[in-house]
């Protein structure tokens, strides 16, 4: 059974121009009904698939901290009703700088949240405004100071590069600010312009001035080199951490392990079956009331599909795919199953192979998607 739970809060006080996650503007939404439906879904899910011991919880969004204090308390109590806590659990929540009041931080701390993931994106106020963020750089420092004062010692921020009109100097400035804050973790993502976003519409009209591919590659290389130089290990293509502060929850995804997904639009992976929930909030609430769940689609993965996912998810990790674990899972040696692909990519110096792991080279990390697609037969 899964040892990890993802919980989705789709509400936002502001919609960012690049975001394609399942989210809705908070005002006028049936938030209390939604939280009650999630509690019902948790109860139904854990009855159907009883967990042994939950090791990680991740509350994402949307913006979980868009909930008011009473709603946040209700959510925390719901989680505690179904999850047995111990001292080793990693309990993460996403938050926007500025949304996270002292009172909300106290509630999170009281109920065992021990990892904060802040959507910072940039320390440039003009750029933040241009991508639709509602906070300013000063809010980041205030939120982190308050969190530290209350005892949070595992804080991550998101940074973005490849943004409209963004320069290499701007990326360097954001990195310098991150190092000054001395945080434990950073997720650094390049902008991907997704359909149904404001940026996508601007791009179609020719009004989205993005950096060239060469400049974006230089930004990524700068991220990798600066992080390494400041003691942050790149343990996944987009993630950097001080030793011992890697995201245990996200490693569940990249290790291709099982997890529960609770909430509108949430995904789960249990017993080689991938499930996705209904996305629209009101339809999700109605489905849970009627059925105890809101499953929209179920896909049972074939052995071939499981093998492919093991490779392209595992290669995202800097350590790569464990040959021993692959053999134990699938009773086949990956160097035999993917003989031609591995030979081709090794010759191009995009992957490295030893007796324990198959991993991306530094050049391979720059061209990750080209490598991943080679393992989908």
């Amino acid at each position: 059974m899964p040892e990890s739970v993802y919980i989705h809060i789709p509400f936002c006080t502001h919609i960012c121009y690049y975001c394609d996650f399942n989210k809705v503007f908070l005002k006028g939404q049936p938030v209390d009904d939604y939280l009650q439906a999630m509690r019902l879904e948790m109860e139904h899910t854990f009855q159907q698939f009883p967990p042994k011991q939950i090791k990680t919880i991740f509350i994402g969004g949307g913006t979980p901290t868009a909930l008011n204090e009473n709603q946040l308390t209700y959510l925390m109590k719901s989680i505690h009703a179904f999850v047995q806590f111990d001292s080793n659990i990693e309990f993460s929540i996403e938050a926007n700088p500025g949304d996270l009041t002292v009172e909300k931080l106290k509630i999170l701390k009281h109920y065992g949240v021990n990892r904060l993931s802040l959507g910072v994106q940039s320390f440039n106020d003009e750029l933040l405004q241009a991508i639709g963020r509602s906070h300013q750089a000063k809010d980041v420092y205030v939120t982190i100071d308050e969190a530290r004062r209350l005892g949070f010692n595992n804080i991550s921020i998101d940074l973005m590069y490849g943004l409209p009109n963004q320069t290499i100097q701007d990326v360097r400035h954001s990195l310098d600010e991150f190092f000054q804050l001395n945080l434990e973790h950073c997720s650094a993502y390049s902008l991907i312009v997704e359909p149904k976003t404001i940026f996508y519409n601007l791009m179609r009209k020719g009004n989205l001035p993005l950096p060239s591919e060469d400049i974006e590659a230089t930004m990524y290389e700068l991220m990798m080199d600066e992080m390494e130089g400041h003691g942050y290990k790149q343990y996944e293509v987009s993630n950097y951490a001080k030793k011992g502060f890697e995201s245990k929850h996200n490693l569940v995804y990249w290790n291709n392990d099982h997890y529960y997904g609770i909430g509108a639009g949430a995904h789960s992976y249990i017993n080689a079956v991938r499930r996705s929930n209904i996305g629209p909030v009101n339809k999700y609430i109605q489905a849970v009331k009627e059925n105890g769940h809101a499953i929209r689609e179920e896909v049972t993965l074939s052995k071939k599909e499981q093998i492919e996912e093991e490779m392209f998810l595992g290669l995202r990790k800097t350590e790569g795919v464990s040959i021993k674990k692959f053999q134990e899972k699938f009773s086949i040696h990956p160097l035999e199953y993917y003989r031609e692909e591995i030979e081709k990519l090794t010759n191009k110096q995009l992957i490295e192979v030893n007796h324990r792991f198959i991993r991306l080279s530094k050049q391979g990390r720059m061209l990750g998607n080209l490598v991943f697609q080679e393992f989908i037969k």
Side-chain angles (χ1 to χ4, degrees):
M1 283 295 110
E3 297 178 339
S4 296
V5 186
Y6 173 78
I7 296 169
H8 190 72
I9 305 296
F11 309 112
C12 290
T13 55
H14 194 81
I15 304 298
C16 300
Y17 300 163
Y18 54 84
C19 181
D20 74 326
F21 293 123
N22 188 45
K23 82 285 182 188
V24 291
F25 187 62
L26 176 67
K27 190 175 181 179
Q29 292 294 330
V31 180
D32 293 342
D33 290 346
Y34 178 80
L35 295 175
Q36 291 166 17
M38 280 209 312
R39 185 182 176 109
L40 282 174
E41 188 194 1
M42 270 189 265
E43 181 178 16
H44 177 272
T45 301
F46 290 157
Q47 283 177 352
Q48 187 177 9
F49 304 105
K52 292 181 180 176
Q53 178 65 54
I54 297 299
K55 294 182 179 178
T56 76
I57 304 169
F58 194 103
I59 305 174
T63 311
T65 49
L67 301 178
N68 64 36
E69 285 83 358
N70 289 336
Q71 292 163 346
L72 199 57
T73 299
Y74 180 88
L75 172 62
M76 293 292 135
K77 286 182 176 179
S78 296
I79 294 167
H80 276 263
F82 302 108
V83 175
Q84 183 179 348
F85 277 68
D86 67 23
S87 58
N88 295 318
I89 199 166
E90 179 191 83
F91 191 176
S92 306
I93 190 168
E94 290 182 340
N96 279 348
D99 282 353
L100 204 47
T101 63
V102 172
E103 187 57 38
K104 289 180 184 179
L105 280 165
K106 287 179 178 177
I107 292 168
L108 298 177
K109 187 71 176 172
H110 176 75
Y111 286 100
V113 173
N114 52 24
R115 184 174 184 274
L116 302 177
S117 178
L118 303 178
V120 172
Q121 318 312 357
S122 172
F123 287 88
N124 179 328
D125 285 343
E126 288 184 11
L127 194 53
L128 288 170
Q129 187 175 13
I131 64 176
R133 298 295 290 175
S134 57
H135 73 273
Q136 294 183 321
K138 64 182 181 182
D139 299 319
V140 179
Y141 309 116
V142 171
T143 298
I144 289 171
D145 283 348
E146 290 171 344
R148 290 295 201 208
R149 185 170 54 82
L150 289 170
F152 287 94
N153 60 7
N154 189 354
I155 300 177
S156 175
I157 67 169
D158 290 351
L159 293 177
M160 294 183 73
Y161 61 95
L163 297 170
N165 291 317
Q166 191 177 30
T167 64
I168 293 169
Q169 289 74 20
D170 177 76
V171 173
R172 189 180 294 278
H173 170 67
S174 287
L175 284 169
D176 288 343
E177 295 302 303
F178 170 71
F179 298 137
Q180 287 285 330
L181 287 165
N182 195 29
L183 302 178
E184 289 71 35
H185 188 281
C186 179
S187 299
Y189 304 105
S190 65
L191 173 67
I192 299 174
V193 181
E194 301 282 8
K196 300 180 182 178
T197 62
I198 293 172
F199 273 175
Y200 183 77
N201 294 332
L202 289 172
M203 186 177 72
R204 290 184 65 188
K205 296 173 183 176
N207 294 328
L208 194 65
L210 298 175
S212 67
E213 287 185 6
D214 286 345
I215 291 176
E216 187 176 314
T218 301
M219 291 173 173
Y220 182 39
E221 198 159 17
L222 175 67
M223 288 269 186
M224 289 193 285
D225 292 344
E226 287 292 311
M227 288 290 185
E228 183 178 355
H230 285 80
Y232 291 85
K233 178 187 175 185
Q234 183 180 18
Y235 69 100
E236 190 268 348
V237 291
S238 301
N239 284 272
Y240 309 83
K242 291 182 178 180
K243 187 174 182 180
F245 287 95
E246 299 85 358
S247 169
K248 295 176 185 176
H249 184 85
N250 285 339
L251 281 166
V252 169
Y253 303 144
W254 303 320
N255 286 329
N256 202 22
D257 293 331
H258 291 168
Y259 55 90
Y260 300 98
I262 304 294
H267 292 248
S268 63
Y269 185 38
I270 305 172
N271 297 337
V273 179
R274 293 204 178 274
R275 297 175 176 86
S276 57
N277 278 354
I278 293 167
V281 169
N282 285 305
K283 290 184 178 180
Y284 165 83
I285 293 169
Q286 188 62 34
V288 173
K289 284 181 178 178
E290 292 175 359
N291 308 309
H293 66 82
I295 296 169
R296 179 181 62 87
E297 185 179 31
E298 290 184 315
V299 178
T300 302
L301 299 186
S302 65
K303 183 177 179 180
K304 172 180 170 292
E305 289 168 327
Q306 291 178 55
I307 287 173
E308 289 171 353
E309 291 195 356
E310 188 81 10
M311 288 301 295
F312 69 72
L313 290 170
L315 281 169
R316 293 187 63 90
K317 298 178 296 177
T318 307
E319 75 169 19
V321 175
S322 165
I323 291 173
K324 180 182 178 183
K325 183 181 174 186
F326 188 102
Q327 285 184 288
E328 289 172 351
K329 266 190 173 183
F330 305 111
S331 302
I332 190 169
H333 200 291
L335 299 184
E336 295 174 6
Y337 189 81
Y338 283 116
R339 184 186 302 274
E340 291 180 15
E341 293 83 358
I342 288 172
E343 184 178 345
K344 174 183 174 182
L345 292 167
T346 304
N347 290 337
K348 290 184 175 181
Q349 298 184 327
L350 295 177
I351 63 170
E352 301 166 347
V353 181
N354 59 33
H355 67 286
R356 294 180 61 213
F357 292 99
I358 304 164
R359 63 167 66 97
L360 296 177
S361 64
K362 184 175 181 181
Q363 179 65 16
R365 277 178 255 163
M366 305 285 289
L367 301 168
N369 288 336
L370 292 177
V371 178
F372 302 150
Q373 68 188 25
E374 289 288 334
F375 293 98
I376 302 173
K377 291 198 174 188

